[in-house]
Amino acid sequence: MISTRNNDLLLQNIDPSESFPVSFEQLETAAQAKMGTGAFGYVHSGAGREETLQKNVSSFSKYAIVPRFLNDVTELDTSVQLFGRTYATPLFVAPVGVQKIAHEDGEIATAQAAASLGIPFIQSTVSSYSIEEVKEVTGDSPKWFQLYWSSQNADISYSMVQRAEAAGYEAIVLTVDTVMLGWREEDVNNQYSPLMQGFGKANYVNDPVFMASLPNDDDDSIIQGIVDNIYHPSLSWKQVAELKKKTSLPILLKGILHPEDAKLAIENGIDGIIVSNHGGRQLDGVIASIDALRDVVEAVEEKIPVLFDSGIRRGSDVVKALALGADAVLVGRPFVYGLAVGGQQGVEKVLSNILQEMKVTISLSGFTSVRDLRNVTIVNR
């Protein structure tokens, strides 16, 4: 057998026995064959006529890397530093809820896959498995917790944050763009809601404050309680300030697109922001995340970390986002499709492929570390 070196990443992936889909398009097709119509539609679709969903992906092609050559790229450092911690890669697993609709093992499989690769896993409030269940199977691997603010009872939010902190999670990601659910026509056509079917209740049924707020503990009451609490039209900087008092963990706001909101985040003591339009699933017709990134980065002036989410499909997308100023990048739909196709191993394969293409892209651009990617020349064609 011919051996390959560490920098022969392409050759390492040429294996006649390998049948796992490589491109995002192949992966999506394979996932559709595995998932039910409603479940696939829920993951696949976006809000409205899906203008934003499509722009999130197509807008990456406007940005072109101008590579530098004759630099020694033998060694590559992919590590990043955030909030006093060092992470092995700039890639994070985005908070995606109700993962059991893709595979029975849901977040357990995804979190274990992320742990095996040293990639931080961000767990959704509406997970199919609880904070404690994920902690039990992943130990001290890096994990963050995404919070949907509880509009009816702030104590539920505080309780979940405190549970995450007790379980060793390292940051809180507060999603701010879900004041109400986006208009998702495919879900209406399919008459499908995983939330209403109970796929996202694990963190709620394991929360004593939430359960104590219900008239009784049957499934109908639990699901109604979740629906009553999960959307937050009244969420404002006042509630964010109160949340900061309840935890010692850094708090990031996910869903920031406007530079002025980024400045307000700094003024209000927020520790980091995530440029995101919720993968095109909330407000249709909104700016593509990658088009919003540079202005937000300039507004922040390196005072707090800026992470990026929405539209990542491959490793070169990761590099472009990093070159435009992101400190780290979240990947969503691709890993969900990997979960559907192959469970934990499927997630590992998808994340590994993105990481390997990211490494190849960095090296072929002429750079040797993630932190130097700010020096990559990016032209907007």
Side-chain angles (χ1 to χ4, degrees), residues 145-197:
F145 180 69
Q146 175 271 332
L147 176 68
Y148 284 125
W149 183 259
S150 293
S151 60
Q152 300 294 312
N153 186 347
D155 287 338
I156 296 171
S157 296
Y158 304 149
S159 177
M160 288 196 181
V161 166
Q162 289 158 6
R163 286 167 55 205
E165 188 165 0
Y169 285 50
E170 299 169 356
I172 301 299
V173 175
L174 176 64
T175 296
V176 298
D177 60 4
T178 50
V179 296
M180 60 187 67
L181 195 63
W183 183 252
R184 303 173 190 171
E185 293 181 355
E186 189 154 355
D187 291 341
V188 176
N189 286 333
N190 293 330
Q191 291 293 289
Y192 184 80
S193 169
L195 197 64
M196 295 295 288
Q197 293 183 27

Side-chain angles (χ1 to χ4, degrees), residues 33-312:
K34 290 276 190 178
M35 301 173 71
T37 299
F40 177 76
Y42 179 82
V43 176
H44 168 269
S45 65
R49 63 182 177 187
E50 300 186 336
E51 175 186 332
T52 300
L53 172 64
Q54 295 165 17
K55 286 197 303 183
N56 275 344
V57 178
S58 64
S59 291
F60 273 94
S61 64
K62 297 187 302 185
Y63 298 93
I65 297 168
V66 183
R68 302 296 303 274
F69 296 113
L70 297 176
N71 295 322
D72 184 348
V73 294
T74 304
E75 301 295 331
L76 175 60
D77 179 9
T78 62
S79 65
V80 295
Q81 287 74 44
L82 293 169
F83 310 118
R85 299 180 184 271
T86 299
Y87 297 107
T89 83
L91 193 66
F92 280 58
V93 171
V96 177
V98 298
Q99 290 185 30
K100 212 169 184 178
I101 68 172
H103 190 278
E104 179 65 24
D105 295 338
E107 290 82 2
I108 296 293
T110 301
Q112 288 178 314
S116 73
L117 296 169
I119 295 175
F121 169 74
I122 308 179
Q123 183 172 355
S124 170
T125 294
V126 289
S127 293
S128 301
Y129 291 90
S130 70
I131 293 166
E132 293 78 12
E133 288 172 315
V134 169
K135 164 68 174 180
E136 183 178 356
V137 298
T138 56
D140 295 329
S141 66
K143 291 177 285 292
W144 294 4
F145 180 69
Q146 175 271 332
L147 176 68
Y148 284 125
W149 183 259
S150 293
S151 60
Q152 300 294 312
N153 186 347
D155 287 338
I156 296 171
S157 296
Y158 304 149
S159 177
M160 288 196 181
V161 166
Q162 289 158 6
R163 286 167 55 205
E165 188 165 0
Y169 285 50
E170 299 169 356
I172 301 299
V173 175
L174 176 64
T175 296
V176 298
D177 60 4
T178 50
V179 296
M180 60 187 67
L181 195 63
W183 183 252
R184 303 173 190 171
E185 293 181 355
E186 189 154 355
D187 291 341
V188 176
N189 286 333
N190 293 330
Q191 291 293 289
Y192 184 80
S193 169
L195 197 64
M196 295 295 288
Q197 293 183 27
F199 283 105
K201 66 181 182 181
N203 279 321
Y204 288 94
V205 297
N206 285 279
D207 194 275
V209 177
F210 172 77
M211 294 303 292
S213 71
L214 303 179
N216 56 68
D217 59 1
D218 61 30
D219 279 348
D220 287 345
S221 295
I222 290 168
I223 291 173
Q224 186 61 55
I226 294 171
V227 171
D228 288 344
N229 277 281
I230 194 170
Y231 305 116
H232 40 254
S234 62
L235 179 63
S236 69
W237 292 109
K238 178 181 178 181
Q239 285 87 2
V240 173
E242 289 301 311
L243 178 63
K244 281 183 61 63
K245 298 176 183 177
K246 303 296 182 178
T247 180
S248 63
L249 296 179
I251 294 177
L252 299 90
L253 300 185
K254 179 176 178 287
I256 298 297
L257 294 169
H258 200 294
E260 292 304 314
D261 284 338
K263 293 177 182 178
L264 284 171
I266 295 171
E267 292 175 12
N268 283 274
I270 293 301
D271 301 289
I273 59 178
I274 301 176
V275 174
S276 171
N277 58 33
H278 216 103
R281 295 171 57 76
Q282 280 298 101
L283 175 61
D284 195 33
V286 74
I287 187 172
S289 286
I290 194 65
D291 291 334
L293 177 59
R294 184 172 263 166
D295 287 345
V296 170
V297 168
E298 289 178 359
V300 167
E301 297 179 328
E302 298 186 352
K303 293 176 182 176
I304 58 175
V306 176
L307 284 69
F308 176 84
D309 170 75
S310 299
I312 295 293

Side-chain angles (χ1 to χ4, degrees), residues 57 60-61 290 308 311-322 329 357 361:
V57 178
F60 273 94
S61 64
I290 194 65
F308 176 84
I312 295 293
R313 298 293 183 265
R314 55 190 317 121
S316 57
D317 295 340
V318 175
V319 175
K320 288 180 181 181
L322 294 169
V329 174
E357 188 186 12
T361 305

